């Protein structure tokens, strides 16, 4: 161990487990790539104001969890706590919405940072794969995104997850509801902090995990009963499209997300094997966000799935992904001349697309064969002086132990044949 350790709330991805993370990212990205989403990458930090305005001044994310700092040049920046505000900022900056081809569909994958209290499934540095569909108000788009996330989880073999669905209304009906909820909440026995929340962000009170608060919330007005006709119709269509696609969901009238930009459709994917950090992904519609950050009206919808928690969900269900061995062929030279010749063959094999590794460091035969087995390779190429004198190398099947001499200039061909 060195003097240093990974910072609190973070962990390193290390082989062989890191392969599972890559596979999860890939599994989430695949349905998006297959559905017209283009890849976008934005900086790891942004002007702090973008998140304050976008995610919301009163959210925990902005008030408590942001890694904000001032640069030597005097810029106020923050490590990104989420992706939506950045992606929309980038799309507006590049005028993607002006190409006459709405919605602009984008997907991304990267690191996010929140100064949270660390626990299993909750980290200060974590990883998301996300998707945003910018500039269209169409219930089919909301449904598409939920269906694609569902498809991603299913392709990983996950079963014990549920989809929670809600509508948060729009700028017509939500203010009316907000006022009614505030009236109700002001009459309850609540602590100072929660009372303050009633004034700033009353919907978040519904999300309070404490039993003492939940008891008092019985009989609270529900947004469902306040939705305007347009929001009701929209939501009904999303529900119908999901049902028609065979994607089961649960209506959760109390689902409030931790970010302020949501309007209408909101959803969360929860996994039942994860304990308190059960949300493996979440998202929704954010019709007002563009205007909040100085852009034109661009109704949009998106989600982000947590890679770390998806990996934990796989573990909880006892699913081991079928990850092919990184190495197919392992070359073991015996002596200097063999080293030179086999190294050349390794390069040739790699150029031919065969995953190949080499016994470096002048290992003896026994050690080198151990490394060959550990690498997961199916074949070893072994050569010593006598083999070279005969113009061959030994091709060894590591499972059966069977060994056959192969002419030096036929190595690539024979390896290919042996690997099938
Ligand atoms: P979010 O619900 O804050 O939404 O995060 C999405 C997912 O990221 C969570 O469901 C969780 O799996 C993972 N996640 C969040 N925080 C942590 C953490 N501290 N440790 C580990 N995993 C975490 C958003 O970020 C929105 N931008 C989603 C969105 C996209 N909405 C519309 N478009």
């Amino acid at each position: 161990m060195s003097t240093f350790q990974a910072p609190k709330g973070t962990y390193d991805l290390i082989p062989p487990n890191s392969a599972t993370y890559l596979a999860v990212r890939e599994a989430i990205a695949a349905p998006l790539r297959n559905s017209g989403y283009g890849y976008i990458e934005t900086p790891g930090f942004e002007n702090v104001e973008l998140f304050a305005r976008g995610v919301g001044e009163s959210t925990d994310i902005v008030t408590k969890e942001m890694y904000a700092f001032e640069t030597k040049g005097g810029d106020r920046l923050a490590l990104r706590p989420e992706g939506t505000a950045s992606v929309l900022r980038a799309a507006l900056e590049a005028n993607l919405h002006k190409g006459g081809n709405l919605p602009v569909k984008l997907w991304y994958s990267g690191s996010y940072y929140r100064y949270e209290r660390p626990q299993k499934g909750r980290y200060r540095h974590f990883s998301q794969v996300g998707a945003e569909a910018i500039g269209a108000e169409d219930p089919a788009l909301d449904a598409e995104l939920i269906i694609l996330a569902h498809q991603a989880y299913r392709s990983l073999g996950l079963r014990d997850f549920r989809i929670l669905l809600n509508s948060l209304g729009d700028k017509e009906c939500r203010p009316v509801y907000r006022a009614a909820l505030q009236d109700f909440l002001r009459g309850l026995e609540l602590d100072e902090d929660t009372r303050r929340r009633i004034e700033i962000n009353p919907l978040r009170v519904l999300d309070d995990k404490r039993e003492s608060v939940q008891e008092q919330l019985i009989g609270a007005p529900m947004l469902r009963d306040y939705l305007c006709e347009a929001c009701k119709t929209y939501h009904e269509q999303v529900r119908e499209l999901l049902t028609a696609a065979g994607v089961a969901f649960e209506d959760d009238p109390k689902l409030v997300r931790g970010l302020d930009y949501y309007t209408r459709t909101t959803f969360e994917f929860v996994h039942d094997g994860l304990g308190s950090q059960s949300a493996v992904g979440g998202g929704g519609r954010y019709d007002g966000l563009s205007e909040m950050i100085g852009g034109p009206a661009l109704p949009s919808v998106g989600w982000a799935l947590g890679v770390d928690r998806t990996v934990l969900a796989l573990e909880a269900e006892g699913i081991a992904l079928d990850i092919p061995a990184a190495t197919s062929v392992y070359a073991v030279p015996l002596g200097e001349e063999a080293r030179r010749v086999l190294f050349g063959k390794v390069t040739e094999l790699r150029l031919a697309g065969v995953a190949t590794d080499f016994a470096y460091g002048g290992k003896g035969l026994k050690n080198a064969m151990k490394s060959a087995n550990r690498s997961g390779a199916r074949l070893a190429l072994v050569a010593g002086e006598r083999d070279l004198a005969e113009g061959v190398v030994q091709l060894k099947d590591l499972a059966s132990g069977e060994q056959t001499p192969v002419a030096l200039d036929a190595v690539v061909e024979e390896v290919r044949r042996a690997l099938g």
Side-chain angles (χ1 to χ4, degrees):
M1 195 146 104
S2 85
T3 323
F4 301 103
Q5 290 171 20
K8 186 173 172 189
T10 72
Y11 63 100
D12 305 304
L13 294 182
I14 292 165
N17 295 352
S18 50
T20 305
Y21 283 75
L22 280 181
V24 165
R25 288 198 185 108
E26 186 48 42
I28 300 173
L32 296 170
R33 276 203 209 99
N34 195 39
S35 310
Y37 289 76
Y39 180 67
I40 184 168
E41 202 165 311
T42 64
F45 49 80
E46 295 274 353
N47 189 317
V48 71
E49 240 343 86
L50 173 70
F51 301 118
R53 282 208 238 163
V55 176
E57 300 272 14
S58 72
T59 57
D60 282 352
I61 292 180
V62 167
T63 56
K64 299 183 190 156
E65 297 169 3
M66 211 145 60
Y67 283 89
F69 56 98
E70 191 171 317
T71 66
K72 290 197 177 85
D75 294 326
R76 294 276 304 150
L77 303 177
L79 299 187
R80 57 185 182 191
E82 64 106 42
T84 309
S86 314
V87 166
L88 187 54
R89 193 265 312 137
L92 290 170
E93 194 170 326
N95 282 321
L96 298 186
H97 59 296
K98 289 189 181 155
N101 190 22
L102 295 176
V104 177
K105 302 210 287 187
L106 302 166
W107 76 273
Y108 52 95
S109 171
S111 291
Y112 297 85
Y113 308 86
R114 295 182 194 176
Y115 190 74
E116 299 204 71
R117 192 170 327 146
Q119 65 178 90
K120 185 158 183 174
R122 196 209 270 151
Y123 310 105
R124 289 180 172 176
H125 165 262
F126 58 97
S127 165
Q128 290 183 342
V129 176
E132 314 290 349
I134 296 165
E137 187 185 289
D138 183 340
L141 201 52
D142 307 41
E144 165 176 293
L145 278 159
I146 296 172
I147 291 166
L148 293 177
H150 179 264
Q151 188 186 335
Y153 288 137
R154 275 305 176 82
S155 77
L156 287 165
L158 290 169
R159 317 207 118 257
D160 301 341
F161 66 90
R162 292 176 289 133
I163 301 172
L164 309 180
L165 185 69
N166 193 19
S167 171
L168 289 181
D170 63 8
K171 59 179 187 287
E172 300 302 319
C173 53
R174 195 164 45 199
V176 182
Y177 169 69
R178 191 174 185 272
L181 181 63
Q182 280 175 323
D183 270 351
F184 174 88
L185 295 174
R186 286 187 192 120
L188 305 183
E189 300 273 330
L190 297 165
D191 59 277
E192 186 104 5
D193 256 10
T194 314
R195 296 202 146 272
R196 211 169 306 126
R197 187 167 294 155
I198 297 175
E199 303 313 317
I200 309 168
N201 200 346
L203 272 73
R204 287 295 290 170
V205 180
L206 296 178
D207 214 20
D208 201 306
K209 299 279 181 284
R210 288 170 298 181
E211 193 63 36
S212 61
V213 177
Q214 281 302 326
E215 272 168 17
Q216 298 191 68
L217 290 177
I218 295 165
M222 298 308 277
L223 183 49
R224 189 172 43 190
D225 304 319
Y226 284 76
L227 291 182
C228 60
E229 276 315 309
C231 284
K232 253 191 232 163
T233 309
Y234 193 95
H235 197 56
E236 207 35 59
Q237 288 185 47
V238 175
R239 296 177 76 257
E240 278 167 15
L241 288 162
L242 291 176
T243 305
V247 171
F249 57 88
E250 296 170 22
D251 292 305
D252 182 355
K254 279 195 185 166
L255 178 71
V256 183
R257 307 254 308 123
L259 306 95
D260 279 355
Y261 48 62
Y262 291 112
T263 50
R264 292 194 169 169
T265 315
T266 47
F267 48 87
E268 222 156 68
F269 295 84
V270 293
H271 192 276
D272 291 323
L274 293 187
S276 63
Q277 302 308 310
S278 62
V280 287
R285 186 154 269 287
Y286 49 94
D287 292 341
L289 179 57
S290 174
E291 286 153 296
M292 275 148 63
I293 63 169
L298 281 173
S300 308
V301 57
W303 52 240
L305 310 189
V307 176
D308 311 76
R309 288 187 197 168
T310 304
V311 171
L312 291 175
L314 289 171
E315 283 167 17
E317 289 198 40
I319 299 169
L321 297 181
D322 189 15
I323 294 166
T327 303
S328 303
V329 180
Y330 198 95
V332 176
L334 306 170
E336 254 330 290
E337 176 64 2
R339 222 169 107 74
R340 201 182 50 73
V341 174
L342 271 192
F343 190 72
K345 289 294 156 196
V346 166
T347 304
E348 245 181 80
L349 282 165
R350 288 174 176 168
L351 284 173
V354 180
T356 309
D357 206 352
F358 186 70
Y360 291 102
K363 281 183 211 180
L365 178 62
K366 209 169 141 204
N367 254 336
M369 288 316 289
K370 238 190 229 166
S371 299
N373 281 312
R374 257 191 230 138
S375 76
R378 281 172 54 196
L379 302 172
L381 280 179
V382 187
E385 264 168 46
R386 201 180 324 147
D387 299 307
L388 296 181
E390 289 168 17
V392 299
V393 301
Q394 302 294 329
L395 183 60
K396 181 168 180 167
D397 183 317
L398 287 168
S400 69
E402 203 177 306
Q403 190 166 303
T404 33
V406 168
L408 269 173
D409 52 11
V411 166
V412 174
E413 198 187 318
E414 287 302 318
V415 162
R416 276 215 173 119
R417 194 204 312 271
L419 289 174

